[in-house]
Amino acid sequence: GAGVSQSPSNKVTEKGKDVELRCDPISGHTALYWYRQSLGQGLEFLIYFQGNSAPDKSGLPSDRFSAERTGGSVSTLTIQRTQQEDSAVYLCASSLGGRSSYNSPLHFGNGTRLTVT
Amino acid sequence: EDQVTQSPEALRLQEGESSSLNCSYTVSGLRGLFWYRQDPGKGPEFLFTLYSAGEEKEKERLKATLTKKESFLHITAPKPEDSATYLCAVRRGAGNMLTFGGGTRLMVKP
């Protein structure tokens, strides 16, 4: 079946511009996550959505970062007034939620590579 | 605070030369330790989940084991196609997000 889909795959933007990154999770997955991976680094948690519950925003690095999930499916990560340090690969993942969540692995998309010039 | 440390950062092996990757962790209320494989330009691909000390799981040339403080990913007679970055991550009692280690970049030469 279809996996997690992210778009665009690459995005180059000028410092100070806003960007939107999109994630389509696996159908039926109620949990959705955003991570950031800087060059040569591990994955840094950003935000987590579970069903209709309030999202866990504890990993967002600044108030320039926000995310929403409409209709319990597609999610958009928005970065306002981009800075050069925002350059990274932004990865989206989804998993089964609810009672199955504790033993459900995250399934990742291939990410959006963001370059801020 | 949850901590996950992987070693070595990079490992070069000859084809057929078996070895192990280490993942040390500190987490409150472990609810799963996960191993992923990541190829360049791709997202991480799920390999294994381990839940309790003493548990082992195998897939082809890979075997993952778990103790109370660390996990090992054993690679037996590796092939060049096993070259990738291997990531481990932990899920703790509160919340469902995973905390990742920095990864081990494995290079297998023919």
Side-chain angles (χ1 to χ4, degrees):
Chain A
V4 176
S5 177
Q6 292 188 246
S7 61
S9 55
N10 283 283
K11 177 72 176 178
V12 181
T13 190
E14 292 181 353
K15 177 181 173 181
K17 300 284 189 183
D18 297 353
V19 295
E20 285 190 352
L21 312 180
R22 177 187 168 103
C23 172
D24 270 288
I26 293 172
S27 178
H29 281 190
T30 60
L32 186 146
Y33 311 75
W34 284 97
Y35 281 81
R36 177 169 71 175
Q37 188 172 33
S38 302
L39 187 62
Q41 302 297 312
L43 276 70
E44 174 191 5
F45 167 74
L46 297 176
I47 188 169
Y48 158 60
F49 296 89
Q50 172 55 62
N52 296 321
S53 302
D56 177 352
K57 303 179 181 180
S58 60
L60 294 179
S62 78
D63 59 8
R64 295 187 295 105
F65 288 72
S66 63
E68 63 177 22
R69 188 178 185 193
T70 54
S73 181
V74 171
S75 177
T76 302
L77 177 69
T78 301
I79 308 173
Q80 295 179 312
R81 305 181 301 283
T82 52
Q83 304 295 313
Q84 287 187 329
E85 60 262 30
D86 298 334
S87 296
V89 176
Y90 290 82
L91 291 162
C92 176
S94 69
S95 71
L96 292 171
R99 291 186 176 184
S100 303
S101 61
Y102 81 95
N103 63 352
S104 175
L106 276 60
H107 298 273
F108 285 85
N110 286 329
T112 294
R113 181 175 298 277
L114 176 66
T115 303
V116 182
T117 61
Chain B
E1 182 180 328
D2 301 343
Q3 285 196 337
V4 183
T5 304
Q6 293 188 245
S7 62
E9 290 187 6
L11 181 62
R12 293 176 182 266
L13 298 174
Q14 287 297 127
E15 184 172 2
E17 180 186 2
S18 301
S19 189
S20 295
L21 313 182
N22 177 265
C23 172
S24 298
Y25 64 90
T26 304
V27 63
S28 174
L30 180 71
R31 287 176 62 194
L33 185 140
F34 298 76
W35 281 98
Y36 284 83
R37 169 190 171 129
Q38 186 174 26
D39 292 295
K42 302 289 187 182
E45 175 189 352
F46 171 69
L47 293 173
F48 304 109
T49 310
L50 302 166
Y51 295 103
S52 56
E55 188 175 1
E56 298 182 353
K57 287 194 177 173
E58 289 189 62
K59 179 180 180 180
E60 295 181 355
R61 295 177 291 282
L62 300 177
K63 183 169 83 172
T65 62
L66 182 66
T67 72
K68 289 186 178 180
K69 294 183 178 180
E70 57 192 349
S71 177
F72 292 94
L73 185 65
H74 307 277
I75 303 176
T76 302
K79 298 182 177 181
E81 53 262 41
D82 294 323
S83 297
T85 296
Y86 291 85
L87 300 166
C88 81
V90 297
R91 172 180 277 156
R92 58 181 167 89
N96 287 316
M97 51 83 102
L98 301 186
T99 300
F100 282 83
T104 293
R105 184 181 172 205
L106 174 66
M107 294 154 281
V108 182
K109 300 205 172 233

